[in-house]
Each structure stands twice: as C-alpha cells, then as structure tokens.
Amino acid sequence: MPAGGFSGPKGGGTEFEAKITPIVIISCIMAATGGLMFGYDVGVSGGVTSMPSFLKKFFPVVYRKTKNEIDSNYCKYDNQGLQLFTSSLYLAGLTSTFVASFTTRKLGRKPTMLIAGVFFLCGTVLNAAAQDLAMLIIGRILLGCGVGFANQAVPLFLSEIAPTRIRGGLNILFQLNITIGILLANLINYGTNKITGGWGWRLSLGLAGIPAGLLTLGAIFVVETPNSLIERGRLEEGKSVLRRIRGTDNIEPEFLELVEASRVAKEVKHPFRNLLKRRNRPQLIIAVALQIFQQFTGINAIMFYAPVLFNTLGFGNDAALYSAVITGAVNVVSTGVSIYSVDKLGRRILLLEAGIQMFLAQVAIAIILGLKLKDNPAESTLPKGLAILVVVFVCMFVSSFAWSWGPLGWLIPSETFPLETRSAGQSVTVCVNLLFTFVIAQAFLSMLCHFKYGIFLFFSGWVFIMSVFVLFLLPETKNIPIEEMTERVWKQHWLWKRFMDDHEGGGAVFNGLSPGLHFRHSVHVLFLSLSLCES
C-alpha cells in the first residue's frame, strides 16, 4: 500500500506520516498467532471430548453412557468433570488477566507475549502427555493463563504498532485468527479421530504446540512498541523504534503526542470511581449487557461442544466432527462479512438482523428435535434429511453471530466510553465476558440434559430479549468520532440523555487533547486501570 498520512476522525485530528513497513506487517502477523492459539484451544476441546478413546481414559462414566442405549439422548455427556475440562481454561484466563495487566505495563507488551507463549507450550505438553484427569486439567489451566496473557498483550500490541489508517483491520485480524484456529482444530479432530490405536486425541492436543511455538518465536523477534517504551521512560529508544516502524524520519509530531499521552495516563487516579458516576452509567450498562447477551446467544455452547452436540442429536461420530468443520468454516467466512459491512451498514442494523436470524434458527432446531428426537435412543434417531437440516440451521445461527454479536460485542464498548473511564470500562468488559464464558461452558451439558430440545428455546428467548434491548436502548455509533459521542449520541438518545446532566469533575484534564490522542491514548489508560484494580 502507498505511503501517506492519516487524516484522523471526522471533526479534526492530527495527521501522522506513516508507511506500511515490512516490520509492521511481519510483527502483526506473528502477534496475531495469539488469536490462532486461542481459537485452536476453543475448537479442540469439543472434538476430543467426543472421541471414544479420550472418554474411555479420562471419563469412563461418560463413555459408558455413550454406549448405553437406555440413557437419554440428551444426557449422555452430562458430567461436571467433562465440563470442567473445557471451562477451566476460561476461569484461568479470567484470573490471569489481572497479573498480565501488571506485566504488560511494567515489563512491556513483548515480554508479556513471551510469557503467554511459554504458558501455551507448557499447557500443550501436559495435555498431550496427560495420564490422568488432574494432569489434563492442570494443562488446561496453563493454557488458560496463556489466554489471559495473550488477550491482554496482543490486541494492545497490534493497536500500538500499526499505522492508524489500518489499525481497525489489524485488530480484527486477531479475531479472524481465532475463528481460523477453531476451524483448524475441527479439521484436525476430524482427521485424528480416524487414527487407530486410540491416541488421536493426543495428536489433536499436541498440535496446539505449533501456534504456541509461533507466538513464542514471534515474541522473541518482534520489536517492542514505542508506546510501551515511552511509558516506561525509555524515550530515545521509543523514538528510534517509532522511526523504524513508520518508515520515515518525520515522526516528531507522533512522538510528542505519545509522550503527552503517557503523561496524561499517569494523571488518571480513580478510573473505576469515575465509571460509577451517573453520566457514565449508560456506557457501563451497555458494555456489561453486551457481554452477557453475547454469551447467552448460545454461541459458545455450540462452538465448545459442536461435535458433542451433534453426537447427542443422533449423528455418527465422524458426521459430528464433519458438521463441526462446516460450522467452523461458516464462522470464518462470516467474520469477513463483518469486516466489510460494519462501517457501511452500521452496528444496530447488523445486530437487529442477526437477532431475527438467530431467533428463527434456534426455534426451528427446537421444533425439529422436539418432534423427531425422542429422549430414549432405542426409540428414536434423527433421520438423515432432518439431521442435515439441523446443521443448516446451526450454520445459519453461527453466520449471523459471526457478523454481529461476535465482533460488535467488543467493538461497541471500546468506542462508547469517554476517555477518562475507557480504561476501567474495558477492564469490566473483559472480566464480564470471561466470567460468563466460564459459566456457559461449565453449565451447557447439564442444561442440555435437563432442558433437552428446550435448550434452544432458552437461548432463543435471550436472543429476543437482547434484540429488544438493541432496538430501544443501543444508539448507533457508526462514523461518529469517539470524542463526540457524548454530544452526538448520549445527549440525543431518548433515555440516556437523562444521565448526561452530571457535571462533576473527572474529564477536564482531557479537554486539551487532540482527537488523534484521544483514540491512541485509550490503550494506555486501560492497563493503568487494571493495575489499580489489582492493588
């Protein structure tokens, strides 16, 4: 792409000269492998937990249920230990996030990515070599720690090293890598399940070492971000790195703004206290609601347990894994649709359209299963034609989520919080998301057992509620500069404008900042607030 400056958000902004240099492209590709690793861990667990050899070794009770034609169709995989194998990763990620925020701020983005890579490698070795359930769970916990560190450092690294005009695309590259990781895991599970001798699950878990190794090597060879160097007082080194990654000597304006951003970040004393003020409640309510709603669409239940779910619905083992591959591919393609359309169509239209599509798909699945899949396996199996139709509806659901609630659940909170509370708001967003990811992962198989086909009606009910929420309470933020959100969004909304009459202090220190600084500075303040949260 040609060199050139960035004109900033509409309404003004500083222009910085920046070329898209090879060092930026290579660094971002290497860093984004953290997303690949995360996605692989999400996808691989559902596949191996449907493999008979894996169940026979670690969960013999579940294995016997899968072979027993008397047990309920919906309850074969209902086991807390089996659910803990999946969910422990997310609980570990939630707790390690706070430690990772400290290392990211004190040591830098590059060392934090290296720590994540080491956690991933150790967890992979333990999982692939596991001889008992304890070893298996410890391995998943180590992988979860890697997720916590990677999800803190990698998006920040990508935001800081990329030229502003391609920053959005490179950040979505991280999420795109997550979907690719899920797809690769499903493909590998499909292949390893055919290996005779009962050791295919070890290969599935062990191949996670490839993206883990790439992330570790990348963390060794990539440059540290100039933002990190400057905020740790290494100004000359930061200026040198900035010159290298921008491919120009004209970096003084951007350098001075980074120095000012670092200074202002240190003046934010109580971001979490500011977050609770009346004028910030609309953003807080929306951010928390979006994270809860994102999980209660049921998407993670499907992505975590897709092969198990399809097995439960009467598919053969190979067919279950094959169906999971199809849904993974749909997930990747549909994420690309979001990249193309989010700034053209807007946030609300994508969320509302997806709400209708997800609702119809889940209701249709519930009707098919309620009519054709009886509780007793000896009395009922799902006909092939209807089984294919279930896969089609699942793909319909996954595609709509991937271009709406998946990326927008993260995008909208990041662009709605004002600067003085953006750090604390993003911290709350991450914590709530991981907490409810853990809850759904730990509860889904038990819910499937008790609700049976009604599980899809349960999630469709939530989809209806969240769509009503979007219709009445979520304002459109398309093409609105971050620094103008209060005047053009919150003060214009029929309900949220009532909260905009709180003029207590908390934002005056930022009034002199340029729009470019507002946008760039947000990532700095995020990690300052996380460190305050720790203390």
Side-chain angles (χ1 to χ4, degrees), residues 2-187:
F6 172 66
S7 61
K10 294 177 182 177
T14 304
E15 293 189 8
F16 299 122
E17 183 179 344
K19 299 177 181 178
I20 302 177
T21 57
I23 191 171
V24 168
I25 299 300
I26 294 172
S27 296
C28 288
I29 290 174
M30 295 299 286
T33 56
L36 191 68
M37 183 69 206
F38 184 24
Y40 190 89
D41 284 335
V42 169
V44 77
S45 59
V48 297
T49 52
S50 72
M51 294 183 185
S53 56
F54 178 84
L55 293 175
K56 189 174 183 180
K57 182 172 182 62
F58 296 106
F59 305 97
V61 173
V62 178
Y63 176 74
R64 287 193 292 271
K65 282 185 178 181
T66 63
K67 299 300 181 183
N68 191 341
E69 294 189 353
I70 299 177
D71 286 324
S72 167
N73 260 322
Y74 295 96
C75 297
K76 291 179 180 294
Y77 294 91
D78 179 21
N79 181 274
Q80 288 299 309
L82 184 64
Q83 293 173 122
L84 183 62
F85 167 70
T86 296
S87 64
S88 57
L89 183 144
Y90 306 98
L91 185 61
L94 171 62
T95 55
S96 63
T97 293
F98 295 101
V99 181
S101 70
F102 177 81
T103 62
T104 304
R105 184 170 61 89
K106 290 294 186 181
L107 303 180
R109 289 53 162 154
K110 179 177 175 177
T112 304
M113 288 191 294
L114 181 60
I115 294 171
V118 172
F119 272 126
F120 280 138
L121 288 172
C122 293
T124 298
V125 171
L126 278 178
N127 272 180
Q131 297 300 318
D132 53 41
L133 183 59
M135 194 172 175
L136 195 68
I137 298 298
I138 291 172
R140 288 289 286 183
I141 290 173
L142 289 175
L143 290 173
C145 291
V147 167
F149 277 78
N151 283 13
Q152 278 286 352
V154 174
L156 181 62
F157 177 89
L158 294 172
S159 291
E160 293 178 343
I161 204 169
T164 309
R165 66 182 182 275
I166 62 169
R167 180 174 294 140
L170 286 176
N171 266 284
I172 296 180
L173 177 65
F174 181 70
Q175 182 164 349
L176 184 63
N177 269 267
I178 293 176
T179 63
I180 292 173
I182 294 172
L183 175 59
L184 289 176
N186 289 332
L187 286 168

Side-chain angles (χ1 to χ4, degrees), residues 352-430:
L352 290 172
E353 185 281 330
I356 296 172
Q357 190 169 324
M358 289 191 292
F359 179 84
L360 294 176
Q362 289 179 318
V363 170
I365 293 171
I367 291 173
I368 292 173
L369 300 185
L371 294 176
K372 296 298 183 179
L373 187 68
K374 305 301 181 183
D375 197 26
N376 190 336
E379 298 176 0
S380 172
T381 57
L382 205 61
K384 183 178 180 180
L386 288 178
I388 293 173
L389 190 58
V390 168
V391 174
V392 170
F393 281 123
V394 168
C395 289
M396 176 179 167
F397 169 82
V398 170
S399 65
S400 58
F401 176 88
W403 65 56
S404 61
W405 285 92
L408 299 185
W410 294 104
L411 173 62
I412 293 172
S414 73
E415 64 185 6
T416 52
F417 284 107
L419 184 61
E420 64 267 29
T421 60
R422 193 169 304 143
S423 57
Q426 291 291 351
S427 301
V428 171
T429 297
V430 172

Side-chain angles (χ1 to χ4, degrees), residues 2 5 62 81 99 144 168 208 230 237 274 298 330 340 391 428 433 458 469 507:
V62 178
V99 181
I230 290 169
E237 189 176 350
N274 288 341
V330 169
Y340 174 78
V391 174
V428 171
N433 185 276
F458 172 80
F469 179 90

Side-chain angles (χ1 to χ4, degrees), residues 494-530:
W494 68 274
L495 175 63
W496 301 132
K497 65 182 179 181
R498 302 177 187 179
F499 292 82
M500 295 296 113
D501 57 356
D502 181 3
H503 299 294
E504 298 176 28
V509 68
F510 302 103
N511 290 344
L513 297 182
S514 71
L517 179 55
H518 275 285
F519 188 86
R520 181 180 298 274
H521 174 55
S522 62
V523 288
H524 289 270
V525 190
L526 167 60
F527 290 92
L528 177 63
S529 74
L530 283 173

